[in-house]
Amino acid sequence: MSKTPVKERLMQTAEKLFYEQGYRATGINQIIKEAEVAKASFYQYFPSKEALCVAYLEDKHITANQRQKQFITTGENPVERICNLFENIRQNAIANDFNGCHFLNIASEINEHENAIRLVVTKHKSRLLDLIKNELSEYQNNEMLAEMLYVIYEGANISVKNYRDFWPIDRGISITQKLLSEAKND
């Protein structure tokens, strides 16, 4: 029996299973078994699988947002800093065998009744959009431009997983450079 606290074991197990096999394919009984906890212990900390998923995503949000901030604060100008953000996708793909973004993976599996999960996903993605907006304060139409770059970033994020290749990152960087160059000249 592990000396790791029960709640931490549940969180670690949920992270592994949700990320590797998906939210829908992971059952509470599997989580309980692999975490080596009693069913009553699970329900002591989490009233449902959805509540566990919310806790998992809130935890991932903190670390993912810190990583995004590290990437977007590296560079001499907004173009370099936003392009550096794409390296977050590359490093995540390398580290996780192209398994994709924790948030997008979960978002693709949930339905409209799982609003608590969607709220955490939206909160995380809104923080990313805010990071991009902050870099574009000197640009005209910076809000619309930030939204366009966010869509390019997320398109690259999903495409890297789908194609198991890095070309979407390279194209995303090229499009971002072109778009920001043209926007600066307007």
Side-chain angles (χ1 to χ4, degrees):
M1 184 68 85
S2 174
K3 292 187 181 195
T4 305
V6 170
K7 185 175 183 181
E8 191 175 327
R9 284 199 320 259
L10 288 166
M11 291 287 288
Q12 290 169 350
T13 303
E15 177 178 356
K16 177 184 178 294
L17 295 174
F18 289 161
Y19 191 64
E20 290 177 2
Q21 67 187 33
Y23 176 70
R24 290 271 174 244
T26 302
I28 291 174
N29 290 334
Q30 182 185 14
I31 294 167
I32 290 167
K33 181 180 178 186
E34 292 196 24
E36 299 178 339
V37 301
K39 192 174 260 193
S41 295
F42 175 90
Y43 287 108
Q44 176 184 352
Y45 293 104
F46 305 103
S48 64
K49 183 172 90 168
E50 181 180 9
L52 175 59
C53 186
V54 166
Y56 150 70
L57 289 174
E58 286 176 342
D59 189 55
K60 290 308 295 179
H61 167 70
I62 294 166
T63 57
N65 189 251
Q66 288 171 346
R67 277 181 52 94
Q68 290 165 343
K69 284 180 182 177
Q70 287 175 326
F71 283 100
I72 205 164
T73 56
T74 305
E76 307 230 348
N77 56 59
V79 177
E80 284 182 20
R81 288 189 289 272
I82 291 172
C83 287
N84 285 339
L85 188 58
F86 284 88
E87 290 305 314
N88 183 44
I89 301 170
R90 187 183 318 270
Q91 287 189 16
N92 187 50
I94 291 167
N96 297 300
D97 193 32
F98 291 92
N99 199 29
C101 168
H102 296 268
F103 298 89
L104 295 177
N105 290 349
I106 295 286
S108 71
E109 292 190 72
I110 62 172
N111 60 44
E112 68 276 1
H113 303 295
E114 292 157 318
N115 290 330
I117 295 172
R118 179 136 351 257
L119 285 172
V120 178
V121 171
T122 303
K123 175 178 116 179
H124 175 69
K125 295 304 180 177
S126 294
R127 283 262 174 92
L128 172 60
L129 181 56
D130 288 342
L131 287 174
I132 296 169
K133 282 180 188 175
N134 289 339
E135 285 302 317
L136 300 175
S137 60
E138 63 189 59
Y139 285 80
Q140 200 169 15
N141 297 321
N142 59 350
E143 190 160 327
M144 183 179 75
L145 189 57
E147 290 167 353
M148 291 167 64
L149 293 173
Y150 168 81
V151 169
I152 293 166
Y153 178 88
E154 292 296 17
N157 206 356
I158 291 168
S159 296
V160 164
K161 178 179 179 173
N162 287 342
Y163 288 98
R164 300 184 62 79
D165 200 333
F166 297 119
W167 68 260
I169 295 168
D170 300 330
R171 299 307 177 277
I173 290 170
S174 295
I175 293 166
T176 298
Q177 290 169 334
K178 183 175 180 1
L179 192 60
L180 291 177
S181 174
E182 290 172 0
K184 192 68 169 175
N185 295 329
D186 287 346

